[in-house]
Amino acid sequence: MRLGNFLAGIAVGVIGTYAIQKLKPSYISSDQALKLVKQEMKKQGPIDGSWIHMEPETYVRNNITYRVYKGGISRVNDNNPEQLEFVVNAENGTIIDVQTSL
């Protein structure tokens, strides 16, 4: 094997790996997303519990498609238990929706 062919193979491998990394969407971790949601929700009062789905899923709102994490927060509001469900953008942690669960 000639050195030129060997180096060309390495270069193609490096460039291919770089391209794949750039094409693959990058998401924040579900733990990071939950932490961001909890920070925001704590501004409205203490939180008793929380959960989040670990895998991002597709979510459509107003004809816009997002990759999101879904989760929930539980707390007591005016001595009444409250359950909130949230949808958070998996790319940047922006809260897209919060609803009271029944």
Side-chain angles (χ1 to χ4, degrees), residues 5 7 9-10 13 19 22-24 28-30 36 39 43 46-47 54 61 74 77 80 85 90-91 95-96 101:
N5 289 342
L7 293 176
I10 289 176
K22 287 296 180 185
L23 294 175
K24 183 172 66 170
I28 63 173
S29 71
S30 57
L36 292 169
Q39 284 176 346
K43 294 177 183 176
I47 295 172
M54 302 294 282
R61 180 172 180 167
S74 62
N77 188 9
N80 294 317
E85 293 181 0
E91 292 180 17
I95 299 171
I96 297 173
S101 60

Side-chain angles (χ1 to χ4, degrees), residues 38-98:
K38 287 171 65 176
Q39 284 176 346
E40 191 61 34
M41 300 298 273
K42 283 181 183 178
K43 294 177 183 176
Q44 300 170 7
I47 295 172
D48 293 332
S50 61
W51 59 270
I52 192 164
H53 288 284
M54 302 294 282
E55 293 295 322
E57 57 187 82
T58 301
Y59 180 78
V60 178
R61 180 172 180 167
N62 299 326
N63 294 324
I64 301 172
T65 302
Y66 301 93
R67 292 296 287 169
V68 301
Y69 294 111
K70 291 183 177 181
I73 299 285
S74 62
R75 63 178 172 200
V76 176
N77 188 9
D78 294 328
N79 291 326
N80 294 317
E82 182 178 50
Q83 301 288 327
L84 302 170
E85 293 181 0
F86 62 83
V87 178
V88 61
N89 190 320
E91 292 180 17
N92 58 26
T94 302
I95 299 171
I96 297 173
D97 194 14
V98 178

